[in-house]
Amino acid sequence: MNYSTADSLSKVTLDDVRGAQKMLAGVARTTAMEGSRYLSQLVGAPVHLKCENLQRTGSFKLRGAYVRIAGLLPEERAAGVVAASAGNHAQGVALASSLLGVRSTVFMPTGAPLPKVAATREYGAEVRLHGQVVDETLAAAQEYAAETGAVFIHPFDHPDIIAGQGTVGLEILEQCPEVRTIVVGIGGGGLAAGIAVAVKALRPDVRIVGVQAAGAAAYPPSLAAGRPLSIDNPATMADGIKVGRPGDVPFRIVAELVDEVRTVSESHLSSALLLCLERAKLVVEPAGASPVAALLSEPGAFEGPVVALLSGGNVDPLLMQRILRHGMAASGRYLAVTLRLTDRPGALATLLGVLSVADANVLDVSHVRTDPRLGLTEVEVELHLETKGPEHCAELGRALREAGYRVID
């Protein structure tokens, strides 16, 4: 698809999305749609999970990248392509380029998780590590494009990218024709814009809800101002939607067609990731879990049937470990408690006996004896406990206080 005027750059149509769907036949998988009994009970209506975390490369990004690169002119293909990404877009561009026989260079931050760097190389891209943050990496990629003539493949701000991502919307309507609400995470806006173009053209009655992490929510102020605005220092565990400014092209579509943009907390994000793993047996990255986080934060706000889009599953194992612990704490399944004991033989065993009676599983114990805040005969003990929910956490607190222990908040 070629766009020659500035005006046409702001337009993506249903025909564009259908053309992208034909182009992606045999390339992108039609990913599964799984029902969630737990979320359905919570929301009070059927909830289905659209599993783009099971897409090739582990996210929806292959769709847009392939359509964008396939649409290049022969001389553009000969010059190669370049992209900047910390993960999912990098892998999408690398695989799409390999499938199309186009040379690709991908710039990634120096701190990018090693599994994502390795996967990008294995898909066929030359990886260059540059910069500490994505903005620095992006600048390096654009400089490379200017110097070499390689075509810069933007992660979301191009009609071809949006049309490719919009094929997810066509699949949702085919797999769940009775859908009333689609919930989708938003970073730069390419995925939400593409889905909105496809779905609203065929089913204008379907409500589309975008979700951003509260610490990286550029869309609410931008929509209020009527133009894309930048936010300083976006911060969230959901790196796939940690974007400081909406894309110009998707912003116009989101402003026109997306019904609502909501924000979710870090606690709800980690709880959503834990829920997907435990209840649905699906590995989902924090950005991919953001629609589930929205359902957890206000389940009564969504008319069913609901489709929550799990946009990706590429999460570093070390980050997964930290997020799961955070999610367990947020859901009352993990408790860290600090208290002071008299430093005498048997004191710790007595404390552990209280916890055993209260049916808490002790994961870790640490002692501090040298803090100047402690009395001469005191020791501070920090316990990490596996618990059974908020009520159990409250019961543990009461049991410790009744046993005479001073809990330090």
Side-chain angles (χ1 to χ4, degrees):
M1 303 174 198
N2 293 309
Y3 299 83
S4 58
T5 68
D7 182 62
S8 66
L9 279 171
S10 67
K11 296 178 181 177
V12 182
T13 68
L14 176 61
D15 285 343
D16 294 329
V17 180
R18 283 177 166 160
Q21 188 176 46
K22 292 178 181 177
M23 192 179 296
L24 288 167
V27 175
R29 296 172 181 151
T30 298
T31 50
M33 181 88 73
E34 300 288 343
S36 171
R37 182 179 301 174
Y38 178 85
L39 289 173
S40 297
Q41 291 175 342
L42 186 69
V43 172
V47 175
H48 305 279
L49 305 175
K50 175 62 172 169
C51 300
E52 279 295 288
N53 59 310
L54 303 179
Q55 183 58 261
R56 296 178 71 178
T57 74
S59 87
F60 69 96
K61 289 288 190 177
L62 171 65
R63 297 173 183 263
Y66 188 91
V67 173
R68 173 76 173 102
I69 297 169
L72 296 178
L73 299 172
E75 58 269 26
E76 292 175 319
R77 290 197 188 197
V81 299
V82 60
S85 168
N88 289 347
H89 181 58
Q91 293 173 66
V93 168
L95 178 56
S97 299
S98 294
L99 293 173
L100 291 164
V102 176
R103 185 178 70 257
S104 64
T105 303
V106 176
F107 285 77
M108 303 181 77
T110 55
L114 292 179
K116 293 185 178 182
V117 174
T120 303
R121 286 192 172 120
E122 288 168 6
Y123 286 128
E126 177 190 347
V127 174
R128 299 192 180 191
L129 301 178
H130 183 92
Q132 298 298 316
V133 296
V134 174
D135 286 344
E136 295 174 356
T137 308
L138 181 65
Q142 291 172 325
E143 182 179 347
Y144 177 89
E147 291 174 352
T148 65
V151 178
F152 179 67
I153 306 299
H154 200 284
F156 50 80
D157 207 9
H158 192 280
D160 287 349
I161 296 288
I162 293 169
Q165 321 304 29
T167 58
V168 180
L170 295 180
E171 289 181 17
I172 290 173
L173 294 183
E174 293 166 1
Q175 294 171 307
C176 185
E178 69 277 15
V179 63
R180 296 292 300 169
T181 305
I182 296 173
V183 191
V184 54
I186 295 185
L191 177 61
I195 289 174
V197 167
V199 171
K200 289 294 188 179
L202 295 169
R203 287 281 307 281
D205 59 303
V206 173
R207 183 172 178 80
I208 299 176
V209 179
V211 183
Q212 292 207 290
Y219 262 91
S222 297
L223 292 169
R227 58 187 175 85
L229 298 177
S230 298
I231 59 171
D232 295 328
N233 303 316
T236 176
M237 69 176 73
D239 57 353
I241 54 174
K242 188 170 71 173
V243 178
R245 182 185 184 278
D248 292 327
V249 181
F251 176 79
R252 288 188 282 268
I253 297 170
V254 170
E256 180 182 355
L257 298 179
V258 172
D259 297 283
E260 179 187 6
V261 176
R262 306 172 69 91
T263 61
V264 294
S265 68
E266 298 296 284
S267 291
H268 279 123
L269 283 168
S270 57
S271 295
L273 188 147
L274 180 62
L275 186 148
C276 288
L277 185 63
E278 284 193 324
R279 300 283 183 148
K281 315 306 178 191
L282 293 168
V283 176
V284 183
E285 63 189 273
S290 58
V292 175
L295 298 182
L296 293 177
S297 66
E298 195 175 350
F302 302 89
E303 180 185 0
V306 177
V307 172
L309 176 56
L310 308 181
S311 58
N314 292 317
V315 56
D316 179 66
L318 294 177
L319 176 61
M320 170 73 90
Q321 186 178 43
R322 294 197 298 270
I323 292 171
L324 289 178
R325 180 162 287 192
H326 188 273
M328 290 178 71
S331 60
R333 300 272 305 285
Y334 178 87
L335 179 66
V337 60
T338 302
L339 41 80
R340 290 180 183 175
L341 309 177
T342 301
D343 192 7
R344 57 177 175 76
L348 180 59
T350 302
L351 169 61
L352 296 178
V354 173
L355 295 173
S356 177
V357 170
D359 203 20
N361 184 30
V362 179
L363 301 175
D364 190 30
V365 180
S366 62
H367 294 77
V368 175
R369 288 187 169 88
T370 57
D371 193 311
R373 297 172 301 170
L374 296 173
L376 186 62
T377 61
E378 285 186 318
V379 59
E380 190 169 280
V381 176
E382 182 178 359
L383 299 156
H384 292 183
L385 309 173
E386 184 180 1
T387 51
K388 300 176 181 179
E391 292 183 2
H392 190 210
C393 290
E395 290 173 9
L396 283 170
R398 286 193 297 270
L400 289 170
R401 287 190 294 271
E402 289 171 1
Y405 292 103
R406 182 157 57 99
V407 178
I408 302 170
D409 293 330

